[in-house]
Amino acid sequence: MNQRKLANRSVAEIGLGCMNVSHAYGPPSDPAAAKALFYAALDLGIDHFDTAALYGFGRNEALVGEFLHPFRERFFLASKCGMTGVNGTRVIDGRPETLKQTCKEALTRLRTDVIDLYYLHRWDKKVPIEESVGGLADLVREGHIRSIGLSEVSAETLRKAHAVHPIAAVQSEYSLWTRNPEIALLSACEELDVALVAFSPLARGFLANGVSDPRDFIEKDIRRTMPRFNPPHFGRNRKLLDAFNRVAWEAGCTPAQLALAWLLAKAPHVLPIVGTTSIAHLEEDVAASRVRLSADTLEAVERLINAETVSGPRYAAETLAEIDTEVTPHAG
């Protein structure tokens, strides 16, 4: 794959978000299936693996550590703190002492001495961002982590954090149907030489034609709580796909590859991470690195799917209250 800069390293421009094998969209993968997926990713040239203490309440980090520690020198390892499971409940806690304890536990689960990029998974609004970043800066000085990242934050918060310690990356949802980073974060990252790691680049499967009927989601699928996958919004959004699929066909690629190639074309400091439990889907996603879109195709897809044509907010109101990203207006 082509390479891009991440925390002063050169990595493949498409990385693997490991969450799906433990968390959020279905029952956890069998460990053997998770192992096969991770090894397939390495074989495909992926050298950026992203996990978090939250995913599976530590189980995801443990799987990454169990299966990938023999190849630790071959890949860039990112994980997250500040949002974890406590007694079976998701908790946001950005106090420095909590972040340091979470890191200690993560290092054990990941079977490594150092994490290349450690994100604050959510800004705990009860704790000044400067204090949380100060705690992470201590971990850099102590050699436990190499660089600091933030997740789901605004350009303003990024600037405050960056004044305390250089921020290497911001992870934010970014895709054709979630354009919040374009308000201010994308340009702020460019100005500060910060990578923008884009999660859910395929709109949680929607842009890959992976959602035919949200009523089929299992009970604990997090998309059940997301307005865009519920009436009346899903019906409106579903109508966008026929034209989107035609643009992909005309461009000579799959819809998933079109979505990823569009994102890669937005800016050289954008690095998408894909999440899947399917090796076939992973192979398809990685092939997007070879897709080149014409100016006409980019214009067509921008005109088709954007903040004005997508119906519904990306999260329910209670979740939106937890995060710090700028908010785009939305249709519906």
Side-chain angles (χ1 to χ4, degrees):
M1 273 192 289
N2 299 312
Q3 302 283 298
R4 296 196 174 190
K5 178 185 173 186
L6 180 59
N8 295 317
R9 289 269 297 273
S10 179
V11 301
E13 63 184 1
I14 297 173
L16 178 65
C18 300
M19 179 185 77
N20 294 42
V21 304
S22 304
H23 185 83
Y25 298 124
S29 297
D30 176 87
K35 179 180 180 180
L37 181 77
F38 294 163
Y39 286 11
L42 287 173
D43 289 342
L44 289 166
I46 289 176
D47 57 2
H48 170 201
F49 289 79
D50 181 278
T51 180
L54 177 71
Y55 304 157
F57 291 179
R59 180 55 182 157
N60 197 254
E61 287 182 325
L63 287 171
V64 171
E66 180 180 358
F67 298 132
L68 290 179
H69 79 92
F71 312 101
R72 182 64 185 89
E73 298 305 313
R74 288 178 52 185
F75 67 92
F76 182 97
L77 175 61
S79 193
K80 310 178 195 72
C81 61
M83 185 162 63
T84 57
V86 178
N87 297 323
T89 301
R90 182 178 66 91
V91 173
I92 296 174
D93 185 347
R95 293 174 295 171
E97 59 269 28
T98 301
L99 305 183
K100 292 176 181 180
Q101 179 61 32
T102 304
C103 181
K104 179 180 178 181
E105 295 165 356
L107 289 168
T108 298
R109 288 191 292 261
L110 291 165
R111 303 190 189 187
T112 188
D113 295 326
V114 62
I115 298 168
D116 296 308
L117 174 60
Y118 206 44
Y119 293 95
L120 184 66
H121 204 160
R122 289 290 185 275
W123 172 33
D124 179 353
K125 297 180 181 179
K126 301 184 299 297
V127 180
I129 189 66
E130 294 88 348
E131 290 187 18
S132 295
V133 172
L136 294 174
D138 289 341
L139 292 172
V140 174
R141 285 188 287 271
E142 294 164 4
H144 301 305
I145 66 176
R146 291 194 171 104
S147 56
I148 297 172
L150 304 175
S151 179
E152 294 274 50
V153 298
S154 64
E156 179 183 0
T157 300
L158 168 60
R159 293 182 190 281
K160 289 179 180 178
H162 198 72
V164 175
H165 187 279
I167 301 300
V170 174
Q171 189 165 138
S172 188
E173 182 174 357
Y174 190 21
S175 69
L176 277 163
W177 87 340
T178 296
R179 310 291 277 275
N180 305 63
E182 295 175 5
I183 299 173
L185 183 63
L186 186 63
S187 59
C189 286
E190 181 179 20
E191 175 191 338
L192 299 173
D193 194 25
V194 174
L196 199 162
V197 175
F199 74 83
S200 296
L202 301 180
R204 304 181 186 274
F206 178 80
L207 294 174
N209 288 311
V211 183
S212 57
D213 188 342
R215 291 174 295 184
D216 294 334
F217 291 155
I218 68 164
E219 182 180 353
K220 293 186 178 180
D221 192 310
I222 62 172
R223 291 171 293 186
R224 281 183 169 268
T225 68
M226 296 176 176
R228 292 178 182 176
F229 292 100
N230 286 283
H233 303 296
F234 184 76
R236 299 169 185 167
N237 293 329
R238 183 67 183 81
K239 293 177 181 178
L240 300 172
L241 284 182
D242 287 343
F244 180 71
N245 292 342
R246 284 196 298 271
V247 174
W249 179 81
E250 291 168 359
C253 62
T254 68
Q257 290 165 351
L258 175 60
L260 288 165
W262 170 85
L263 193 54
L264 290 167
K266 290 302 292 183
H269 61 291
V270 174
L271 296 90
I273 51 173
V274 296
T276 184
T277 58
S278 164
I279 293 175
H281 289 168
L282 187 61
E283 291 171 341
E284 176 186 353
D285 294 343
V286 165
S289 183
R290 300 191 294 271
V291 173
R292 296 295 176 266
L293 302 178
S294 69
D296 287 345
T297 299
L298 290 169
E299 181 182 353
V301 78
E302 289 258 2
R303 186 170 58 248
L304 179 62
I305 301 181
N306 57 61
E308 295 181 357
T309 62
V310 171
S311 182
R314 66 189 181 106
Y315 286 134
E318 57 269 25
T319 303
L320 286 173
E322 293 179 347
I323 60 178
D324 180 51
T325 52
E326 290 89 0
V327 178
T328 59
H330 56 271

